[in-house]
Amino acid sequence: MRAGGTGRGRGVRELRTWGAAHPQAVDVGIALLVQAAMTMPFVVPRPPELEPATWSAYGLTTLTVVPLVWRRRAPFLVLLAVLATSGLYRLAMEGPGQPLPYTGLVCVYTFALLSPPRTRFTAALLVTLSVPVSVWLNTRSMRELTFSLFVFGAAYAFGRLADARQREQRAATEHAAERAAARERARIAREMHDILSHAVSLMIVQAEAGPVAVRAAPERAEAAFEAISSAGRDAMVQLRHMLGVLREGEPGGTAAAPRAPQPGVGELPELLARVRDGGLDVRYAVEGTERPLPAALGATVFRIVQEALTNVVKHARARSVDVLLGYEGEATNPPDPTDPPGRPGRLTVRVTDDGRGPRGEDSGGHGLLGVRERAAAHGGWAAAGPGPKGRGFEVRVVLPLEAG
């Protein structure tokens, strides 16, 4: 039952999407449906005492239906056309009557849905005055008058309810778009924080060591200045990429900003080399069976390691740091039911230094908060605290792995 309901719901959504994309086709379909309903009294045999239905009467009913094709473009004008042709039908023809005023109901629903308040009021007043005249020309029955006022009122109410629903859906869509934009701004802010914080920290460390190296070991000073230059160039490239993405689609902006791929696990050795050039002993190891990562997950691993190393450079006063990537389990999607149960696939990222421990971390900054947010975005978690045996500081992140 649930699967069938889901299928029907999906079919209704697809039909609505198609209708929103092809409104003219929908209006033509509605006109054809109304024409089919108007045709029924002409094909049903009439009592002998009544005049037979003529082709001229049938043609006039068709003329009454045709304006519905333009009902969205000019609801009020379409209403006037339908009222005029319907009145002509009743005054000049002896055609069969209709059980429901189909064309009028469609017109009332349409102007209730689409027209502004002043036009709605004018159209509603015109219909309210036209109904008693139509009943007087037809049966002069109070029962028909009451029924006609009821059905027209119901059509107007349905139109207003549909308008309210559409407004609510538009508001929900705009709210969702605003939330998506806020998430994207937060993501870009984290990226720029990581890029700038890492590059500036390395440059500061190298710049502070430069004067000492110039006097004691000129060759080390040259390496320090090269490290400063390299960190600055790398930061500029990444910032240019981020700002290029932000400028896409802006008036006067670049039509197609360069979309270089985000750094991933493959760029970690280069990152560690830059940190190593700053005088920090960096050791890198991989445990388990290394496997390709999705681009988004690889970029997250790179940024997490980058932020952890930035904290080490800025705060830890460490001499060495260990970076470990540990792959566990197997990532299969969908899982093979014949496989034996085991540990699900996950990637553990550890960055451990031998510095002065938690007191050296910037508890008021956004670095570790950004690490936790990045991990949570992929369904993982992050923890930070004293290293093994209480020495130094360790950042540990666990990320689930999924194939495909």
Side-chain angles (χ1 to χ4, degrees), residues 242-283:
M242 296 297 299
L243 296 177
V245 171
L246 289 176
R247 285 196 297 266
E248 280 189 357
E250 289 185 356
T254 55
R259 299 300 299 268
Q262 287 281 349
V265 175
E267 284 69 37
L268 280 179
E270 183 180 350
L271 170 67
L272 302 181
R274 289 198 301 268
V275 177
R276 197 176 289 117
D277 290 340
L280 188 64
D281 182 17
V282 182
R283 296 183 291 268

Side-chain angles (χ1 to χ4, degrees), residues 22-34 65 68-71:
H22 305 84
Q24 192 64 37
V26 172
D27 291 342
V28 171
I30 290 175
L32 292 175
L33 185 63
V34 172
V65 174
L68 296 182
V69 174
W70 296 277
R71 68 186 186 94

